[in-house]
C-alpha cells in the first residue's frame, strides 16, 4: 500500500476513533449510567458532570501510564532480576558500581551537567542582550538559533569534520587543525593559547562565584518576614555551591597549568583522543545547539522587563554593566532557572553526540551511552536497566525544582 494512503488511513482512524470515543462515552454516561430523568435526575446530572472530565482525561492518562509509568516499573523490575526473571535484589547495582566505566560515565555526566547548562545559558543571555541592541538583531538571532534545526547526529558529523586530523605532510580539512598548525610559539601563540584561555577561565570563575553568591546570600540574609526555605532546597543550594567551589578550584589549577604546558607546535592533533579535554570538544557541540534556545527564551524575558526600572537606574547614574547585572538579571532570574534546568534535562539524556563522535571511547563515556552499551550491545539487561534507573534518579531533583518554582510563581 502506498505510504500516503497509509498515512491518510491512520489519520482518519485516529481522529475518527477519538471522536467516536468522546461521543459514545458521553452518550453512555448521559443515557445509560446517569440518565437525566426520573426522581434522581438532579443527582444524576451532578454525578455525570463530575465524571465527564475524567472521560476526556482518560486517553491521555492511559497513554501516559502505558508509555511512561509501565516502562518505569518494568525497568525497576529488570534492574532487580536476572535475564530469566529471577529476583536478585541489588546485585545488578553492585555489579554496576564495581565497573570503572560506570564511574567514568558518572564523572563525565557531572562535568557535562556543570559546563553545558552554564555555558549555554551564559552565551544565550549574552546573545539576547547584544542582539536586542543592534539594528540587524533579528538576522543575528536567526543565525544563532539555526543550529536548533540540526539533529544531534548531524551536528556531530559537522564537528567531526571540524576536528578532523590528517598527517602533517597533507593539507588539513579540519578547521581546528588548520588553525593549530598556524601557531609557532611566537607572541601570537602566547596571546591565543595562554592569555585568552586565562581570561576566559577567570571570567568563568567569576561567573561561578557570582552564582554561588546568589545561592548563599538569600540563606544568610533571610529576614523574619520572609518565607522559610525548605530543608531540601537548602541542601540543593549547598550542593550547588560546593560544586561551584570545585569548579573555581579547577579553573585556578587550569590557569596555572596553562603557563607551564609544552604545546606540540607543528603537529596535527587528534582532538577527540586527548583525554579529559576531548569531553569539552564534545560539549561544544551541545553548547552550539542549545545557545540559540537559551537566547530566544531569555530575549523574550528581557523584552518583558518594565522600562521604568531601567530608566530609573539610568537617572541614578548606573552604567550598562550595573543595569544588566543589578537590574535586568535579577528580574529574569526565574526564566534563567527555567532555561538552565531545561538544558540540564537535555544533558542528562545526552547520547547521540557521544555515540556518533567517540562511542564512549577515550574516557568520554556518559550514562546514556553506558546504558545503551549494556542493554543493546552486551545484552546485559540487569545492569543496563540499573543505569537507566540512575539516570531517572538524577532527573527527579530537577523535576522537583521545576514543580517547586512553578508553584512559587503561581503563588
Amino acid at each position: 500500500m502506498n505510504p500516503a494512503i497509509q498515512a491518510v488511513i491512520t489519520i482518519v482512524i485516529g481522529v475518527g476513533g477519538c471522536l467516536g470515543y468522546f461521543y459514545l462515552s458521553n452518550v453512555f454516561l448521559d443515557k445509560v449510567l446517569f440518565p437525566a430523568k426520573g426522581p434522581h435526575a438532579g443527582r444524576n446530572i451532578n454525578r455525570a458532570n463530575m465524571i465527564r472530565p475524567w472521560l476526556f482525561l482518560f486517553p491521555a492518562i492511559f497513554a501516559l501510564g502505558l508509555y511512561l509509568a509501565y516502562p518505569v516499573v518494568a525497568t525497576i523490575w529488570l534492574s532487580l532480576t536476572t535475564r530469566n526473571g529471577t529476583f536478585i535484589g541489588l546485585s545488578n547495582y553492585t555489579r554496576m558500581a564495581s565497573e570503572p566505566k560506570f564511574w567514568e560515565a558518572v564523572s563525565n555526566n557531572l562535568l557535562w551537567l556543570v559546563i553545558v547548562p552554564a555555558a549555554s545559558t551564559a552565551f544565550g543571555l549574552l546573545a539576547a542582550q547584544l542582539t536586542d541592541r543592534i539594528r540587524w538583531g533579528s538576522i543575528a538571532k536567526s543565525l544563532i538559533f539555526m543550529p536548533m534545526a540540526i539533529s544531534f547526529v548531524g551536528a556531530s558529523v559537522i564537528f567531526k569534520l571540524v576536528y578532523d586530523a590528517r598527517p602533517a605532510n597533507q593539507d588539513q580539512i579540519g578547521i581546528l587543525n588548520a588553525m593549530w598548525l598556524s601557531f609557532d610559539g611566537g607572541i601570537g601563540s602566547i596571546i591565543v593559547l595562554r592569555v585568552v584561555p586565562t581570561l576566559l577561565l577567570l571570567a568563568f570563575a567569576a561567573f561561578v562565584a557570582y552564582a554561588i553568591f546568589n545561592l548563599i546570600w538569600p540563606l544568610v540574609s533571610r529576614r523574619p518576614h520572609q518565607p522559610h526555605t525548605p530543608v531540601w532546597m537548602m541542601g540543593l543550594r549547598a550542593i550547588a555551591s560546593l560544586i561551584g567551589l570545585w569548579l573555581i578550584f579547577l579553573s585556578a589549577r587550569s590557569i596555572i597549568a596553562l603557563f607551564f604546558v609544552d604545546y606540540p607546535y607543528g603537529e596535527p592533533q587528534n582532538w577527540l583522543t586527548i583525554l579529559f579535554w576531548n569531553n569539552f570538544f564534545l560539549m561544544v557541540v551541545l553548547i552550539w545547539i542549545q545557545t540559540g534556545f537559551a537566547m530566544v527564551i531569555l530575549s523574550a524575558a528581557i523584552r518583558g522587563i518594565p522600562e521604568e526600572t531601567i530608566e530609573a537606574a539610568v537617572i541614578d547614574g548606573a552604567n550598562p554593566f550595573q543595569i544588566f547585572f543589578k537590574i535586568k538579571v535579577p528580574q529574569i532570574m526565574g526564566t534563567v532557572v527555567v532555561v538552565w534546568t531545561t538544558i540540564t534535562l537535555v544533558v542528562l539524556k545526552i547520547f547521540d553526540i557521544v555515540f556518533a563522535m567517540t562511542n564512549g571511547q577515550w574516557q568520554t563515556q556518559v550514562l546514556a551511552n553506558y546504558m545503551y552499551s549494556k542493554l543493546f550491545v552486551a545484552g546485559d539487561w540487569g545492569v543496563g536497566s540499573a543505569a537507566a534507573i540512575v539516570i531517572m534518579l538524577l532527573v527527579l531533583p530537577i523535576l522537583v525544582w521545576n514543580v517547586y518554582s512553578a508553584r512559587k510563581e503561581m503563588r
Side-chain angles (χ1 to χ4, degrees):
M1 186 182 292
N2 190 291
I5 298 176
Q6 287 183 342
V8 172
I9 293 174
T10 302
I11 293 172
V12 170
I13 293 176
V15 175
C18 290
L19 292 175
Y21 163 77
F22 291 124
Y23 175 75
L24 294 175
S25 61
N26 276 278
V27 168
F28 177 77
L29 183 66
D30 293 329
K31 303 297 183 182
V32 179
L33 197 58
F34 297 112
K37 58 184 178 179
H40 303 294
R43 185 183 65 182
N44 287 348
I45 291 173
N46 290 333
R47 289 181 176 178
N49 289 334
M50 290 176 62
I51 295 175
R52 201 180 313 279
W54 295 102
L55 290 178
F56 287 88
L57 289 173
F58 174 75
I61 294 173
F62 177 77
L64 288 173
L66 182 62
Y67 293 105
L68 289 179
Y70 171 73
V72 169
V73 175
T75 303
I76 292 173
W77 175 251
L78 285 174
S79 71
L80 300 174
T81 60
T82 61
R83 189 161 185 169
N84 59 10
T86 305
F87 181 79
I88 56 173
L90 299 177
S91 297
N92 288 321
Y93 291 90
T94 304
R95 190 152 54 91
M96 178 180 66
S98 65
E99 294 186 7
K101 270 291 180 183
F102 169 72
W103 292 109
E104 175 191 315
V106 171
S107 61
N108 286 338
N109 256 104
L110 290 175
L111 198 62
W112 279 73
L113 284 172
V114 170
I115 301 298
V116 174
S120 300
T121 306
F123 288 137
L125 184 59
L126 180 64
Q129 173 66 14
L130 295 180
T131 53
D132 281 340
R133 299 174 65 89
I134 57 178
R135 186 177 304 172
W136 47 279
S138 298
I139 299 175
K141 286 181 181 178
S142 300
L143 294 174
I144 296 172
F145 187 75
M146 199 174 292
M148 283 291 294
I150 304 175
S151 68
F152 285 179
V153 175
S156 302
V157 172
I158 293 171
F159 274 84
K160 282 197 77 171
L161 294 175
V162 172
Y163 299 144
D164 186 78
R166 298 289 177 89
N169 56 351
Q170 296 183 16
D171 292 334
Q172 300 295 323
I173 66 169
I175 298 174
L176 198 56
N177 267 313
M179 294 174 58
W180 170 254
L181 292 179
S182 66
F183 295 121
D184 56 2
I187 185 64
S189 303
I190 294 174
I191 293 174
V192 175
L193 299 179
R194 299 184 192 275
V195 176
V196 172
T198 298
L199 294 176
L200 291 175
L201 286 169
L202 286 173
F204 175 73
F207 175 78
V208 173
Y210 176 73
I212 293 174
F213 174 79
N214 285 330
L215 286 170
I216 298 299
W217 181 249
L219 302 179
V220 176
S221 62
R222 190 174 67 85
R223 297 176 182 177
H225 67 275
Q226 291 179 331
H228 181 68
T229 304
V231 176
W232 63 268
M233 183 65 67
M234 295 174 63
L236 285 177
R237 288 175 179 269
I239 292 172
S241 300
L242 291 175
I243 293 174
L245 291 174
W246 175 67
L247 286 174
I248 293 175
F249 167 74
L250 289 181
S251 300
R253 192 174 67 177
S254 299
I255 290 172
I256 296 172
L258 277 171
F259 290 93
F260 295 97
V261 66
D262 185 18
Y263 289 110
Y265 297 112
E267 302 175 13
Q269 300 297 307
N270 293 310
W271 303 103
L272 295 179
T273 64
I274 301 175
L275 301 185
F276 181 72
W277 295 107
N278 50 8
N279 286 290
F280 292 93
F281 294 130
L282 297 180
M283 292 177 202
V284 167
V285 183
L286 190 56
I287 293 171
W288 180 62
I289 294 173
Q290 293 297 318
T291 294
F293 162 76
M295 176 200 65
V296 169
I297 305 299
L298 294 172
S299 178
I302 290 174
R303 288 177 179 272
I305 296 175
E307 288 292 334
E308 294 82 2
T309 58
I310 299 174
E311 292 172 359
V314 172
I315 293 173
D316 288 339
N319 59 47
F321 286 98
Q322 290 173 326
I323 292 173
F324 180 71
F325 287 106
K326 298 295 184 180
I327 305 298
K328 292 185 176 182
V329 171
Q331 292 190 71
I332 64 169
M333 188 55 66
T335 307
V336 171
V337 171
V338 169
V339 171
W340 191 300
T341 53
T342 303
I343 297 175
T344 299
L345 290 175
V346 175
V347 171
L348 281 171
K349 300 180 293 183
I350 193 65
F351 166 77
D352 317 58
I353 294 172
V354 176
F355 182 78
M357 298 187 74
T358 64
N359 196 21
Q361 301 179 79
W362 306 298
Q363 297 183 15
T364 59
Q365 188 73 284
V366 291
L367 282 171
N369 192 266
Y370 174 82
M371 177 192 70
Y372 173 84
S373 300
K374 287 296 182 180
L375 274 172
F376 303 109
V377 179
D380 193 341
W381 292 2
V383 173
S385 299
I389 297 302
V390 170
I391 296 174
M392 185 187 72
L393 292 176
L394 290 174
V395 170
L396 278 178
I398 301 169
L399 295 178
V400 171
W401 175 279
N402 278 338
V403 171
Y404 172 80
S405 299
R407 289 183 175 178
K408 187 176 180 180
E409 289 287 334
M410 291 176 64
R411 287 197 297 266

